[in-house]
Amino acid sequence: MLGMKSLRLENIRKKYDGGEVIKGIDATVEAGEFFVLVGPSGCGKSTILRMIAGLEDITEGSLWIDGVYANGLPANKRQLSMVFQNYALFPHLTVEQNITFGLYTKKISKEEQRSRCLETAEMLGLTELLKRKPRQLSGGQRQRVALARAIVTQSPICLMDEPLSNLDAKLRAKMRSEIRQIQRRLGLTMIYVTHDQVEAMTMADRMMILDKGVVQQVGRPLDIYNSPGNTFVASFIGSPPMNLAEADYEDGRWRIPAGPAINSAHSLPGKKGTIGVRPEHISRAEEKVTFFAELLNVEVLGTETLLGFAVGNHQWSARWPGQWQLCVGQRVPCYVAPEHVMLFDKEGQAAAGSFISGPDKGEAL
Ligand SMILES: Nc1ncnc2c1ncn2[C@@H]1O[C@H](COP(=O)(O)OP(=O)(O)OP(=O)(O)O)[C@@H](O)[C@H]1O
Ligand SMILES: [Mg+2]
């Protein structure tokens, strides 16, 4: 373990000439925590990471690293390492030289550099490749060299900016679990940036969802999935996203204009709002039918079948377990249980009491 460190952001803001891009971020990252920043392109993820790293001035607010006020602290005094969004390896240096490049400024002896390099290479499966040049590596191997370069510094805090963005789906999945294991083994405090909600869901202890420089929600992945705080989070987390539609409450049902009505025990002040239903909560009706869906799209994925259909002016999707032989144009009976209808008010904020209840962290064995 490297002596774990915590981080605290208090009302952090960043202004460029073009305007404010980070609009008051508050967050505490616990020592040893895997904290993910996730949001669409341009929402400010890299800017936040660069302010934490000391590569970008903080316009307003305070940054604390392990209880020490760090706004003006030089980058090399912040006890952190960073893997950049567009990591670049030195093409003329070997893998080994690339990995140890940052250590010479830290006045670390040649022997120590060598032993750390070997240890890190072993951990990341790079031992056989140390004498090669970057152009002799696959994309995934290069990505691991970039990770090794950060880990070899033995900094207690590690910042990673979309470190897996250049990899194919299979390698991404493998690297996700490798990074998570290394982070646990070394006890790193990790701030990990991604625009990929699957990466966020699968890696994070906790995550912060950002949009346009504003925090939308912070929490554990399943808590956010089950109780999204607003319609942005509801449609950002989950694939396919949560189905949403504006609706009016009448006689125990939410009526969707030009669409069906869906039973729910809960109303909202003014009886107007947005309802949300996860695709997996629209099942094939056995007895009670909530609505008939006229299929616009059918995707058979092997373990499940995704159905696309129109509800009012929206395209909704349903996720049915198993392999279904269905055709576009076919009408299929669908059921939505009242307790699976989430409610959002006119501002798009989740209404208390409309969350999916259930065990905290999924079902235990
Ligand atoms: N030096 C700069 N001057 C002016 N505006 C900037 C500067 N750097 C970034 N921005 C703006 O700040 C906003 C946030 O940029 P940032 O790079 O942090 O986004 P991001 O969330 O990392 O996006 P991506 O997922 O595409 O990497 C963007 O609107 C961007 O145009
Ligand atoms: Mg970025």
Side-chain angles (χ1 to χ4, degrees):
M1 297 280 162
L2 306 168
M4 296 192 230
K5 301 276 189 271
S6 63
L7 282 146
R8 214 154 107 79
L9 284 67
E10 274 175 11
N11 191 27
I12 295 275
R13 290 171 188 274
K14 180 72 191 178
K15 290 194 182 89
Y16 287 118
D17 293 341
E20 196 171 50
V21 298
I22 302 297
K23 299 170 182 164
I25 303 285
D26 289 293
T28 302
V29 181
E30 306 293 343
E33 188 173 29
F34 200 110
F35 192 86
V36 173
L37 289 179
V38 61
S41 184
C43 71
K45 306 179 294 295
S46 295
T47 306
I48 294 174
L49 221 54
R50 293 172 62 81
M51 286 193 284
I52 295 172
L55 305 169
E56 199 79 70
D57 286 338
I58 296 169
T59 310
E60 204 183 309
S62 325
L63 170 69
W64 304 82
I65 297 179
D66 217 38
V68 176
Y69 182 71
N71 280 43
L73 208 61
N76 61 5
K77 295 263 157 59
R78 295 192 183 199
Q79 312 179 66
L80 47 80
S81 60
M82 182 157 173
V83 180
F84 290 91
Q85 186 162 8
N86 296 309
Y87 68 90
L89 304 179
F90 298 107
H92 55 287
L93 299 183
T94 63
V95 167
E96 175 165 1
Q97 289 163 334
N98 264 287
I99 292 176
T100 53
F101 185 80
L103 296 180
Y104 84 100
T105 51
K106 294 182 184 287
K107 300 202 177 71
I108 290 167
S109 74
K110 278 269 176 261
E111 298 76 60
E112 171 77 11
Q113 286 190 26
R114 174 108 188 115
S115 81
R116 278 200 205 179
C117 177
L118 289 177
E119 190 189 355
T120 310
E122 188 65 41
M123 203 168 2
L124 286 162
L126 294 170
T127 311
E128 311 296 312
L129 307 173
L130 288 173
K131 296 282 168 272
R132 291 205 202 167
K133 298 278 174 66
R135 72 185 141 75
Q136 299 165 308
L137 303 177
S138 74
Q141 291 164 339
R142 276 180 227 168
Q143 196 106 54
R144 272 183 275 173
V145 176
L147 294 173
R149 210 161 46 171
I151 287 164
V152 80
T153 63
Q154 301 191 354
S155 310
I157 301 168
C158 188
L159 312 177
M160 292 191 179
D161 196 350
E162 312 225 22
L164 307 183
S165 50
N166 301 329
L167 306 183
D168 69 49
K170 203 169 161 191
L171 201 47
R172 281 178 86 113
K174 183 160 170 269
M175 290 296 294
R176 281 208 295 265
S177 88
E178 281 185 14
I179 291 178
R180 199 64 176 91
Q181 286 174 36
I182 290 167
Q183 177 267 340
R184 279 209 190 95
R185 196 177 329 146
L186 299 179
L188 297 175
T189 303
M190 177 76 81
I191 305 186
Y192 185 100
V193 161
T194 180
H195 63 264
D196 178 352
Q197 55 94 17
V198 177
E199 227 165 84
M201 285 295 292
T202 53
M203 297 179 88
D205 288 319
R206 285 188 309 142
M207 60 192 189
M208 172 187 277
I209 298 161
L210 284 166
D211 186 36
K212 302 189 181 85
V214 179
V215 178
Q216 303 296 311
Q217 197 168 359
V218 182
R220 294 184 298 177
L222 279 186
D223 292 339
I224 291 182
Y225 187 85
N226 292 336
S227 309
N230 59 36
T231 48
F232 177 85
V233 176
S235 56
F236 189 76
I237 299 293
S239 174
M242 184 185 286
N243 300 300
L244 298 170
E246 299 82 51
D248 303 289
Y249 196 68
E250 234 178 84
D251 305 329
R253 286 138 74 86
W254 283 97
R255 292 197 174 278
I256 299 168
I262 297 182
N263 283 331
S264 164
H266 299 282
S267 181
L268 285 171
K271 304 198 171 197
K272 267 186 178 308
T274 297
I275 63 168
V277 184
R278 290 266 179 220
E280 62 269 33
H281 291 144
I282 302 180
S283 57
R284 179 170 165 271
E286 304 279 352
E287 292 161 21
K288 290 189 224 163
V289 177
T290 308
F291 57 83
F292 284 90
E294 190 172 324
L295 301 180
L296 296 170
N297 191 30
V298 179
E299 295 177 24
V300 186
L301 299 176
T303 55
E304 60 184 17
T305 305
L306 297 181
L307 313 178
F309 48 91
V311 165
N313 304 321
H314 306 270
Q315 166 127 6
W316 276 27
S317 50
R319 181 201 294 274
W320 289 4
Q323 303 174 356
W324 292 87
Q325 305 249 344
L326 299 165
C327 317
V328 169
Q330 194 173 341
R331 275 164 57 86
V332 295
C334 293
Y335 176 68
V336 178
E339 66 269 25
H340 285 154
V341 178
M342 291 194 207
L343 302 180
F344 302 91
D345 64 19
K346 276 181 277 182
E347 280 72 50
Q349 298 299 312
S354 78
F355 299 143
I356 304 297
S357 54
D360 226 4
K361 290 177 169 169
E363 287 179 53
L365 271 181

